[in-house]
Amino acid sequence: MTPRLTVRDMCGAAVYAVRMSWAADRRGVLTVVGLQLANAFGLASALLLLRGLLDDVLTLADSDDAGGDLWRLGSGVMVLVALGAAGGILQTLGGMRQQILTDRVDRYVISLVLHTASHTELWEFEDPDFHDRLQRAVHASRHKPATVVVMLVAMLQVALTVLVVVGVFITIAWWLLPLATLTAWPLFKAAKDRRTALYAMHHGLAENRRRRQYLERLLTCRDEAKEIRALNLGATLHNRWDSEYAQELNGMARLIRTHAGREIRAKFLSSALIAAVIVSVWASVNVGMVSLAAASTGLAGLWLLSSRMGMASQMFNDAGESLYFLKDLHNFAGAAVEPLPGPAEPVLPFRALQARDLTFTYPGADRPTLHGIDISLHQGEIIALVGANGSGKTTLAKLLAGLYAPTEGTVIRDDCSVTDLHQLRHGCAVVFQDFVRYKLTVHDNIAFGRVDEPHHHSRIRGAAESAGVATLLESLPNGYRTLLGREFTDGTDLSGGQWQKLAIARAFYRDAPFVILDEPTAALDPQAEADLFVRIRHLFAGRTVLLISHRFSSVRSADRIYVLDSGRIIEHGTHAQLMRARGRYADLFLTQAAGYLDTTPA
């Protein structure tokens, strides 16, 4: 259901836009306002001067001092021309300064959206509604705040011009003022209806646009390109993108057809009201109620009033549409969590990390992923999690790393319940199975392990050596300054196994007391895998390691092994204990071993 905005909401959104513009570029806001005000006063002066010139023209023939009157008339015309030229210059300068203001406000607002998204808790990314709100906020961040500010300033100029014209009408025939003011009402009403309908359409297109962006990414990104071509998916994905886009275009076409007739009727009605004002003015001239000069000035003012009010209705439509979207931006930014705390105390090791009766349900899911988990990890231990795909291993690791808050239960660190997830994150290094391949320098890829501390090349090289990748990195064209990613100039790429070693080096650089390795050798060759696990106890000496792996040869040396099934721990113990128990672990181990030995398990 599309939310409706009240006048109070729109005023609040306008104030929000002004505040953001002020924060982004104070001098730019003051300059734009000053130029618009100067232009408005110039127009008012020109209108008043025009009335004086018309009086001079009409009285010139009857004057005894024709030379003086001609000089005064010529001087007035020159001043009028000068005012017109000055107005053109101010308009040019204002347009240039508005573009600079727009760019700076865009940067500020997009930065605000990115900041909010980067500090949003991980569980929210599991919620489709969050992605819709993010999409609407991103849409609102594109030129909307700057558009509102520029339009508000321009509408101030219109308001000043209208006040001047109103003053002229009061001196001519005050009773015509209400009729002249009503000439813009049909335009405002039609613009408001179209604006409301346009926002309703865009509000419902958030998920459509997300699907389109995903399809665009599939069709244009390097990592996906090989499979798209291997499966010949290009035309299929392009057709789906085109179909999604057609929904928006068809909706826009229906909206335009619906409201075009209304706006045409509004313009006819507005023109009819203007014609009524003109007839009334000339009737007043014929009966001698007003002078010809005053009537001519009034009609010039009426033309100016009509054009300005029409402009104001369009501005109000554009600004009003932006105000609708700014409400989405305001709501999204206001829902942000507090930023992560900066580097404070050094990361200290713990004696024990325990989970007690942990239960977790993903947003929107109708049943928990984890049920009543109890697990204990002690300093210096290697603990393994095994189980079938979807058994909850990675979800449990995310809870222990402080990336999710449990739905029920608690995490205990050295006999103290953990209420601050940032504390867990600060003391944890994670190598995910689907780790990020940062298309930045090698140095960044490792140093990102601990960005809140000064970077030391000796530590970066030491982390690379621990991960067994230092020799490779030093052989790259620019060593640790080599840019990774062939889509960038002078960039190079790594193999899957080399990328995985780089992710492991990042974990070493983080130097945390708790290390989570989620399938850390999935892309490594057998020899590299064997080398890593032979050295893992030495490399992570004094730390607690949580190892998730499908390769039972890798986990058999763990101090304890926990077996998960459908979100529950069904067994735990050492490899020898679990094999003697002949339970689920023994079945999985023997089945995998049979594949290597080409025998059937007993």
Side-chain angles (χ1 to χ4, degrees):
M1 180 178 178
T2 303
R4 297 187 64 84
L5 267 68
T6 63
V7 174
R8 181 178 179 180
D9 290 331
M10 296 184 69
C11 291
V15 172
Y16 183 60
V18 172
R19 283 172 46 207
M20 286 189 294
S21 299
W22 183 257
D25 187 6
R26 296 184 180 184
R27 182 178 296 178
V29 171
L30 292 175
T31 301
V32 170
V33 170
L35 290 172
Q36 293 284 11
L37 292 177
N39 202 8
F41 283 119
L43 286 174
S45 301
L47 185 60
L48 294 175
L49 180 60
L50 177 62
R51 179 176 180 177
L53 290 176
L54 290 174
D55 280 331
D56 290 342
V57 170
L58 294 175
T59 58
L60 182 60
D62 299 329
S63 174
D64 294 331
D65 186 15
D69 290 337
L70 283 173
W71 171 255
R72 190 166 59 253
L73 179 62
S75 300
V77 171
M78 293 299 294
V79 172
L80 193 63
V81 171
L83 285 174
I89 293 173
L90 289 176
Q91 188 173 5
T92 300
L93 293 176
M96 296 169 61
R97 201 62 185 80
Q98 285 175 17
Q99 183 60 55
I100 297 174
L101 175 63
T102 297
D103 292 341
R104 289 182 176 175
V105 174
D106 282 349
R107 182 186 68 175
Y108 178 84
V109 176
I110 295 171
S111 174
L112 176 64
V113 173
L114 296 176
H115 173 84
T116 302
S118 66
H119 290 96
T120 298
E121 289 296 340
L122 181 62
W123 66 266
E124 292 216 48
F125 283 83
E126 309 290 344
D127 186 359
D129 181 64
F130 166 78
H131 291 279
D132 286 343
R133 288 186 285 111
L134 174 60
Q135 172 63 42
R136 290 195 292 268
V138 170
H139 182 74
S141 68
R142 304 292 180 179
H143 300 290
K144 301 300 181 184
T147 297
V148 170
V149 172
V150 171
M151 292 301 176
L152 289 175
V153 172
M155 289 174 70
L156 176 62
Q157 180 192 33
V158 171
L160 292 173
T161 304
V162 169
L163 288 176
V164 172
V165 175
V166 166
V168 173
F169 266 93
I170 290 175
T171 63
I172 300 173
W174 62 266
W175 44 272
L176 288 176
L177 182 59
L179 187 60
T181 305
L182 284 175
T183 59
W185 173 250
L187 301 177
F188 276 101
K189 179 64 169 60
K192 176 181 178 297
D193 292 342
R194 182 164 68 92
R195 183 177 65 250
T196 303
L198 186 63
Y199 174 74
M201 186 194 74
H202 283 296
H203 188 277
L205 284 172
E207 188 161 347
N208 172 284
R209 286 177 174 147
R210 287 196 291 115
R211 287 194 298 266
R212 276 187 1 231
Q213 289 170 357
Y214 174 68
L215 292 170
E216 289 169 6
R217 188 163 65 249
L218 289 178
L219 288 166
T220 58
C221 287
R222 176 176 177 268
D223 291 339
E224 288 82 359
K226 56 183 179 298
E227 184 163 326
I228 300 301
R229 281 148 185 78
L231 298 176
N232 196 26
L233 294 176
T236 298
L237 294 176
H238 183 270
N239 289 338
R240 291 191 181 184
W241 173 88
D242 195 57
S243 176
E244 294 286 351
Y245 216 140
Q247 291 185 31
E248 178 171 349
L249 296 179
N250 292 337
M252 181 64 73
R254 286 193 299 270
L255 186 147
I256 291 174
R257 285 194 298 268
T258 300
H259 290 274
R262 298 179 185 179
E263 294 187 10
I264 291 173
R265 289 192 295 272
K267 291 183 185 297
F268 274 122
L269 180 56
S270 178
S271 299
L273 292 172
I274 292 173
V277 173
I278 294 174
V279 171
S280 300
V281 169
W282 283 113
S284 300
V285 172
N286 288 334
V287 298
M289 291 179 60
V290 295
S291 67
L292 181 61
S296 300
T297 305
L299 291 178
L302 177 63
W303 171 81
L304 187 59
L305 176 66
S306 175
S307 63
R308 290 296 180 184
M309 293 292 275
M311 185 187 302
S313 70
Q314 184 60 46
M315 290 178 184
F316 189 74
N317 184 49
D318 295 340
E321 177 190 334
S322 298
L323 289 175
Y324 276 94
F325 291 108
L326 281 178
K327 181 77 183 303
D328 290 327
L329 176 61
H330 192 192
N331 290 341
F332 180 78
V337 297
E338 289 297 317
L340 292 171
E345 312 161 357
V347 181
L348 299 176
F350 56 81
R351 296 186 305 277
L353 184 68
Q354 299 171 305
R356 289 291 176 264
D357 199 27
L358 279 193
T359 297
F360 181 76
T361 304
Y362 282 100
D366 54 4
R367 60 180 181 176
T369 300
L370 297 177
H371 309 261
I373 297 292
D374 290 319
I375 186 172
S376 297
L377 305 92
H378 298 92
Q379 183 179 12
E381 287 186 330
I382 297 177
I383 305 299
L385 294 181
V386 299
N389 290 334
S391 59
K393 302 185 299 296
T394 299
T395 300
L396 175 56
K398 289 176 180 177
L399 266 71
L400 295 174
L403 298 176
Y404 290 146
T407 307
E408 296 177 17
T410 185
V411 176
I412 301 171
R413 191 178 191 271
D414 288 341
D415 301 324
C416 296
S417 296
V418 177
T419 56
D420 181 9
L421 297 182
H422 298 152
Q423 179 188 5
L424 289 177
R425 297 178 197 174
H426 193 54
C428 181
V430 187
V431 179
F432 292 109
Q433 183 177 3
D434 53 349
F435 60 87
V436 178
R437 304 182 181 193
Y438 297 99
K439 301 301 178 66
L440 302 169
T441 64
V442 171
H443 176 278
D444 286 337
N445 268 272
I446 298 177
F448 278 4
R450 184 69 73 180
V451 294
D452 50 9
E453 295 178 359
H455 297 165
H456 300 288
H457 183 71
S458 59
R459 280 189 57 204
I460 291 175
R461 191 178 187 284
E465 288 177 345
S466 297
V469 74
T471 302
L472 167 72
L473 299 180
E474 289 165 3
S475 69
L476 295 175
N478 295 310
Y480 288 85
R481 296 296 174 182
T482 301
L483 184 64
L484 300 178
R486 292 194 185 279
E487 54 266 62
F488 299 108
T489 303
D490 297 328
T492 190
D493 204 354
L494 303 177
S495 69
Q498 292 166 343
W499 272 111
Q500 191 155 39
K501 288 182 178 180
L502 198 59
I504 295 172
R506 188 158 57 242
F508 279 114
Y509 185 82
R510 187 162 179 79
D511 194 22
F514 182 32
V515 180
I516 297 176
L517 303 175
D518 187 355
E519 298 289 352
T521 61
L524 300 183
D525 59 71
Q527 185 60 53
E529 177 188 13
D531 291 344
L532 176 63
F533 280 110
V534 165
R535 298 186 301 140
I536 196 169
R537 196 174 292 274
H538 170 70
L539 293 172
F540 291 108
R543 295 172 174 79
T544 303
V545 177
L546 181 65
L547 174 63
I548 302 172
S549 180
H550 286 93
R551 301 185 183 183
F552 287 85
S553 59
S554 304
V555 304
R556 62 184 302 171
S557 62
D559 295 294
R560 274 192 318 287
I561 302 167
Y562 287 84
V563 183
L564 274 74
D565 183 61
S566 299
R568 291 181 170 85
I569 292 178
I570 57 173
E571 295 178 317
H572 67 92
T574 65
H575 170 76
Q577 290 170 341
L578 293 173
M579 291 300 293
R580 285 196 299 270
R582 293 185 175 273
R584 179 64 173 160
Y585 174 85
D587 289 342
L588 292 172
F589 182 88
L590 293 174
T591 299
Q592 190 173 102
Y596 288 104
L597 300 174
D598 195 22
T599 62
T600 303

